[in-house]
Amino acid sequence: MTTLPSSSPASPASADASQSTSAAPAVPPRRRALVPRGRFAFVTGILSWTLLIASTLFWCALLFPLALLKLALPFAAARRRIDPLLNGIATAWISGNAGWFAWIQREPWDIRGHQELRYADWYLVNCNHQSWADIFVLQRALNRRIPLLKFFLKQQLIYVPVIGLAWWALDFPFMKRHGKAELRRNPALRRQDQETARRACAKFSLVPTSVMVFAEGTRFTAAKHAAQASPYRHLLKPKAGGLAVALNAMGDKFRSLIDVTIVYPQGAPGFWDLACGRAGPVLVRMRQLPVPPSFCNADYGSDKAFRTEFHHWLARQWEAKDAEIDALTPPRRG
């Protein structure tokens, strides 16, 4: 594991956070949009959907034969050669999508903090979650700057036509979600999820990979925020389990944890807004945080002292993130 020369995230006023929140975001001047706005936004959205579907089918047609080859040759030596090809196909798909979405947006996106990232390395990425558009924002902001992002997905998503098989071929981990009541009745289910994540991370250790986690576990809404009685203004309470398991499984591989904050000053857009070219301004802030060496060997499931320490470590990050979002969000009128 590489030790980064960055300050500890022990305080919301850390150097990394203060640099990104000390001044108002300098958004570049607007450029002329490719497509008309207003009543033609619907046509833009349909065209975006059509291009996305066509691009997905094209790249999946190239991906599936390699996936079958990997299935027939389940050896580490074969995976080291086939996985980069599969990841390269997915990266090309993302580049095409990102290029189109960037072209139809009215406002340029303001992305900062990505300068020191390296493509040929391992990263753990943590981000706040507001909309399905977040995934496209992350892919555009980090594509070709770090290895392909691998998400933890709900088990049901493997049945999504075409793309579900693509996620499987790319080794995206599929997790079963269990409610608190179900876990209380059968605590062994928690261990099953941890073992699934651990096996997925073991595959990631063969070639450089970026493991992506939305620590909130779900998209932010005002109703969820109120139901949780979240202590944060702009965030739900973070769930530590996924991060802890990833660190325990391959923490010594990660160069750093990339803490990403996405802010939509005009409100979080849905995917349809993004497809129609009306996502509004998008601000992305990143900072690299060192991975504490002790986190790479501790067992989150059985070590109560470690769980307490890990929750405090994540809470400090969430306090800094909440303050950063507050600084980048314009005050509401009225």
Side-chain angles (χ1 to χ4, degrees):
M1 179 184 65
T2 306
T3 302
L4 294 176
S6 67
S7 58
S8 169
S11 167
S14 65
D16 287 335
S18 63
Q19 286 177 2
S20 61
T21 60
S22 59
V27 180
R30 291 184 177 182
R31 54 171 169 74
R32 187 174 181 178
L34 172 67
V35 295
R37 300 286 153 223
R39 58 185 179 143
F40 297 112
F42 179 80
V43 176
T44 304
I46 294 297
L47 181 58
S48 296
W49 264 109
T50 303
L51 287 174
L52 178 61
I53 293 171
S55 173
T56 301
L57 293 175
F58 172 79
W59 290 111
C60 283
L62 300 180
L63 184 142
F64 290 153
L66 287 172
L68 291 174
L69 181 62
K70 186 172 77 168
L71 184 64
L73 301 172
F75 313 112
R79 291 181 62 90
R80 289 191 180 95
R81 289 167 174 78
I82 298 173
D83 282 356
L85 298 176
L86 291 169
N87 292 340
I89 290 173
T91 297
W93 176 76
I94 291 168
S95 296
N97 297 339
W100 171 251
F101 285 129
W103 192 247
I104 65 173
Q105 299 308 312
R106 184 187 296 270
E107 294 88 357
W109 294 4
D110 183 8
I111 302 172
R112 302 186 189 182
H114 55 271
Q115 290 78 7
E116 301 300 323
L117 301 177
R118 304 193 312 190
Y119 187 74
D121 222 324
W122 283 261
Y123 291 97
L124 180 61
V125 182
N126 188 19
C127 183
N128 60 312
H129 194 16
Q130 305 162 79
S131 163
W132 273 107
D134 296 342
I135 295 174
F136 291 92
V137 170
L138 284 167
Q139 288 177 335
R140 179 183 168 193
L142 291 169
N143 192 41
R144 300 189 187 278
R145 293 182 172 127
I146 64 175
L148 180 69
L149 292 170
K150 302 291 180 74
F151 297 82
F152 287 86
L153 299 170
K154 291 186 294 185
Q155 181 71 34
Q156 297 89 330
L157 292 177
I158 197 172
Y159 301 110
V160 175
V162 181
I163 196 67
L165 288 175
W167 284 327
W168 170 82
L170 292 165
D171 291 323
F172 279 55
F174 291 93
M175 309 290 291
K176 292 183 179 179
R177 287 190 174 179
H178 304 291
K180 292 182 178 179
E182 189 178 7
L183 290 172
R184 281 195 296 268
R185 289 194 301 270
N186 187 2
L189 294 175
R190 190 187 305 274
R191 181 63 64 179
Q192 285 180 9
D193 283 349
Q194 292 174 352
E195 187 57 33
T196 299
R198 190 171 286 107
R199 287 197 301 268
C201 289
K203 295 178 183 178
F204 297 158
S205 66
L206 295 175
V207 296
T209 305
S210 303
V211 180
M212 174 66 218
V213 177
F214 288 118
E216 291 165 293
T218 185
R219 295 185 296 277
F220 178 96
T221 66
K224 294 174 185 175
H225 184 266
Q228 284 190 353
S230 174
Y232 311 104
R233 290 190 61 189
H234 308 281
L235 302 165
L236 301 178
K237 295 177 181 178
K239 298 179 180 179
L243 277 172
V245 170
L247 286 172
N248 180 253
M250 53 182 297
D252 57 343
K253 282 280 190 180
F254 291 130
R255 172 175 170 79
S256 65
L257 182 146
I258 305 176
D259 180 50
V260 183
T261 301
I262 300 176
V263 178
Y264 304 104
Q266 295 179 4
F271 174 76
W272 180 247
D273 296 312
L274 184 68
C276 291
R278 57 190 185 200
V282 178
L283 312 180
V284 182
R285 299 292 182 267
M286 309 178 205
R287 56 176 182 152
Q288 291 191 68
L289 303 176
V291 176
S294 62
F295 286 10
C296 302
N297 301 311
D299 187 342
Y300 181 83
S302 62
D303 190 337
K304 183 177 180 180
F306 169 62
R307 285 201 302 273
T308 300
E309 180 185 5
F310 194 86
H311 288 166
H312 289 164
W313 177 76
L314 186 56
R316 290 193 294 267
Q317 291 183 40
W318 238 234
E319 290 165 6
K321 186 183 294 292
D322 203 44
E324 184 169 45
I325 295 173
D326 204 51
L328 294 171
T329 303
R332 295 180 179 178
R333 297 181 179 179

